Each structure stands twice: as C-alpha cells, then as structure tokens.
Amino acid sequence: MWPFSSPKASNTSTREDRQRCWDARDQYFACLDRAAVVKPGDEKPSRACGSEGKSYEESCAKSWIEYFNQRRVIGEAQKDRLAQADTQARNAKQ
Amino acid sequence: MFSFRPLRPFTRNLVPPQRLSFVDLLQKRCVGTSSKLPKDPPKQSLEPQRPQRNVIGTFTPASAALFIVVGVGLFWYFQNEKANLLKQREQERMSKAYGRPHVGGPFSLLNCSGSPQRFTHEELVGKWSLVYFGFTNCPDICPAELDKVTAVVNELGKSNPGLPIQPVFISVDPARDSPSIIRAYLSDFHPSFIGLVGNYQETKSVCKAYRVYFSTPPDADPKGDYLVDHSIFVYLMDPEGRFVEAFGQVTEKDEMAKKIKEFVVEWSK
C-alpha cells in the first residue's frame, strides 16, 4: 500500500491532517473571493488561483473537496437570503 | 341635646337597640309600630335625629374595615399561592418526571478503548454520559463537536470535580472505522473518550435506539472515499442510563456545561 499512498489525507484523519486541509481550503477560497468567483472550478478558464487550487486538491480527500465546494456555493446563495431576512427582521422591529 | 328629651324616650335607652329587618321597617312605616319597642310618642319630631343604624343594618364602619382587611389578606394569600404554584410547575418541568422522549435503549458494541471489551448500555449506568455519533472521515463537523464535548468535560472537571462523566463516540461508518483508526482519531480529543463501533447490524440497532439517522449503506466500500450523512447531536444520559437532553450544533460549550450542571443538581434532589 505504501508505494502508492499519496500525500493527501484519505482515511487517516489526525488533527494536523485536518488543519492542513482546512488551511489549503481557506487559501484557495480566499483566492476565489479575490477573483470574485463563487463556484470552485469556474476560475479555471482564466487560470487564476492555480497553485492554491493544486495545493487544496492535494491536501484534502476528494469527498471533502466536493463537500466544501458544495457548501461554498450554498453558503453564497444563503448569504443573500439571510441578509434579506435580517433586514426584514430589523424593519419589523421598528 | 339631651335636655330636650322627654322622660319616655329615656326609658327607650334602657332597651337595647333592636336590629330591624327590612320587613320591620316597612311595617313600622306603613302600619305603625308592631315592633318590640315601647310605643313612641307622637312627638318624634322633637327627638334628635338618630343615626340611620336601622337602615344601614349590619354594615357598620367596623365591619367595613374588617371586610377590607380580610379582602386584602385573601388577595395577598392567593398571589403568594399562585407564585408558589408557578415555581413548582417550573421545577417539575425541569425534572421531567414525565414526558421523557424514548431515546436510548439496549445496545452492544465493541469497545475500541480496551476494557471492557464489549460495551453495552449497562456501562452507562453510574456515570453521566455524553454520546456522540460520527465517523472519523468527517470533514469538519465531527471534529468541532468532539472539541466541544472535550471542552465541556474539561469545564465540568473543574467545576464539578468527582462528577463521573464519560464522553462516548459511536461510529456510524463501520465499514471503514476500525478500532485502531478510532483510537488514533480520538487521541486528538479528551483522553477519557470511549470509542465504540460494531458491525452494520449493531450500528443500525444503536442508531435506531437513539433515533439517529445515518446514511451508510450496508455494503459500503471499506476503501471508498465517501461522506456519511448523520444527525448531529450530543446525547446526555444520566447515571440511570436514561436520556436527559440532546444538544444540537447551535448549543455552545458554555451553555452545554451550564445545562449539564443544572441537570446534575436536579437529579441529585
């Protein structure tokens, strides 16, 4: 098994592995924010965030990458709705 | 005043004043007097106007005062009783002597942490348990929840030293989570964490008892890379092994610790 094991954390999940993955993810997402891209992958045509993306894909398991990406997209959509709900609540209080 | 009084009404003073009823009043006015009083002389106009005691009847200033005092007393008494009743109801609600959800039940799993080798629901007896269902391949939620439980156990260790509390981790991913993997995983959290795992049937059975949803299929690939969808709660069980409360993700560690302390006090009564 060991010659084929890749550096990315697949089944082993220690605090360091997790932290490494989260940090790589945070850097990649911050880059996407700067490029004003919501869905990870949309920035590929413009070749932005290449190195961050690579490091992200290496540090995290595929299932985790899918999960984080989906959450990012949903989170963006929710932000609008939450902001609307917030203003509604504030208006109602007046 | 008294100098105008003729002799006859003087005798009238010797007689105790009668309490007249309404009927008597009518009779006296219309027919003349059939009361027990001695016959009044027609010179009633000379008589000083006596207080209208017969009209007022029993309603004297003294009785009015007594009425008010008793009324106020009763009012305060009932206010007090009402407050006490509300307090009692609040306490009963806290102790949850009835209406406890049917969470928890018999289960039997392998103890990854060593002894006893088989961990059943009976091991929950005698200790306060915080049970969390998760899997080691969890991206962020399980680690966050386990960190929260670790912090709560540490906090309770300081505030309630000697309180028997055991955090329990039950894996909902039996295909991939072997005892050694779970042991390694739990080493990142509180040292007293107990890791449990079973085969698919045992996992299904304990999840059913605790009303936990989990999405692992029976034929999951042990080498697969998948995430397990599962309900995210920390279940507090009391030293009788009965369910007390389920803490969700929104409950912060301070609130959780505070509530557990309240439950401990309530239970000790």
Side-chain angles (χ1 to χ4, degrees):
Chain A
M1 184 70 178
W2 65 265
F4 304 104
S5 59
S6 49
K8 80 168 152 219
S10 48
N11 273 342
T12 57
S13 190
T14 65
R15 199 183 283 276
E16 291 79 29
D17 289 339
R18 286 196 294 271
Q19 198 59 51
R20 202 170 349 122
C21 168
W22 294 343
D23 291 339
R25 170 202 65 184
D26 289 339
Q27 283 192 337
Y28 178 56
F29 283 177
C31 178
L32 287 185
D33 286 339
R34 283 194 299 271
V37 170
V38 173
K39 185 152 180 251
D42 281 351
E43 85 291 356
K44 289 246 170 71
S46 59
R47 298 199 190 267
C49 307
S51 61
E52 285 95 345
K54 198 151 159 282
S55 138
Y56 173 48
E57 273 163 32
E58 273 173 6
S59 317
C60 301
K62 254 200 11 212
S63 57
W64 290 31
I65 291 174
E66 268 173 38
Y67 171 74
F68 290 138
N69 292 353
Q70 274 175 5
R71 250 217 335 221
R72 179 182 164 81
V73 174
I74 293 173
E76 269 304 318
Q78 271 186 347
K79 240 191 259 178
D80 262 341
R81 255 177 277 140
L82 284 174
Q84 269 180 20
D86 219 12
T87 40
Q88 273 184 2
R90 243 179 289 128
N91 289 341
K93 272 189 204 155
Q94 283 166 7
Chain B
M1 192 167 77
F2 278 93
S3 54
F4 288 114
R5 225 187 241 175
L7 204 61
R8 188 83 61 85
F10 184 66
T11 57
R12 199 158 151 222
N13 287 335
L14 293 174
V15 176
Q18 299 285 336
R19 288 252 169 92
L20 292 176
S21 70
F22 187 59
V23 174
D24 285 351
L25 269 173
L26 276 180
Q27 284 175 334
K28 192 163 181 169
R29 206 168 281 174
C30 305
V31 177
T33 178
S34 55
S35 66
K36 297 190 187 110
L37 289 170
K39 216 164 163 70
D40 288 344
K43 290 188 196 162
Q44 235 171 349
S45 50
L46 277 183
E47 231 185 276
Q49 219 26 3
R50 294 187 108 224
Q52 299 281 326
R53 270 174 98 186
N54 30 13
V55 176
I56 299 171
T58 57
F59 197 61
T60 63
S63 71
L66 185 67
F67 176 77
I68 290 172
V69 165
V70 169
V72 168
L74 279 175
F75 175 74
W76 277 112
Y77 171 72
F78 280 118
Q79 286 285 78
N80 224 16
E81 276 303 302
K82 198 169 163 191
N84 281 347
L85 200 65
L86 283 173
K87 221 188 294 176
Q88 206 183 358
R89 278 220 198 109
E90 192 61 39
Q91 279 183 349
E92 270 176 27
R93 208 164 55 81
M94 269 287 291
S95 69
K96 295 190 188 178
Y98 55 90
R100 202 187 278 252
H102 245 221
V103 172
F107 65 86
S108 172
L109 298 162
L110 186 69
N111 186 353
C112 312
S113 318
S115 63
Q117 216 189 17
R118 206 77 201 159
F119 193 100
T120 68
H121 52 286
E122 282 160 21
E123 309 296 334
L124 296 177
V125 173
K127 305 197 186 99
W128 289 87
S129 311
L130 287 165
V131 183
Y132 180 73
F133 291 79
F135 64 113
T136 63
N137 207 31
C138 186
D140 48 5
I141 296 180
C142 299
E145 291 295 296
L146 292 177
D147 270 334
K148 190 165 77 177
V149 171
T150 300
V152 167
V153 173
N154 282 333
E155 161 69 31
L156 290 172
K158 274 186 255 158
S159 69
N160 296 51
L163 180 77
I165 181 147
Q166 65 182 1
V168 178
F169 171 82
I170 299 183
S171 171
V172 294
D173 190 10
R176 291 184 300 183
D177 286 347
S178 68
S180 56
I181 289 181
I182 292 178
R183 261 200 307 273
Y185 184 71
L186 290 177
S187 63
D188 275 332
F189 306 102
H190 202 275
S192 67
F193 243 112
I194 295 172
L196 304 179
V197 75
N199 59 29
Y200 184 77
Q201 274 312 316
E202 288 161 343
T203 308
K204 191 163 155 205
S205 158
V206 70
C207 285
K208 187 163 181 201
Y210 281 78
R211 304 277 190 272
V212 170
Y213 160 73
F214 75 109
S215 69
T216 316
D219 53 357
D221 180 9
K223 296 198 186 48
D225 181 14
Y226 55 86
L227 297 183
V228 177
D229 224 352
H230 60 93
S231 15
I232 303 163
F233 285 109
V234 177
Y235 298 89
L236 176 68
M237 315 297 284
D238 70 15
E240 284 164 33
R242 291 187 305 176
F243 169 74
V244 177
E245 176 99 341
F247 298 107
Q249 274 185 288
V250 290
T251 312
E252 300 285 333
K253 65 173 165 68
D254 293 324
E255 200 194 325
M256 199 196 271
K258 178 166 149 276
K259 279 203 162 159
I260 295 176
K261 283 180 219 170
E262 285 171 8
F263 284 128
V264 170
V265 167
E266 198 55 48
W267 189 83
S268 313
K269 285 196 186 148

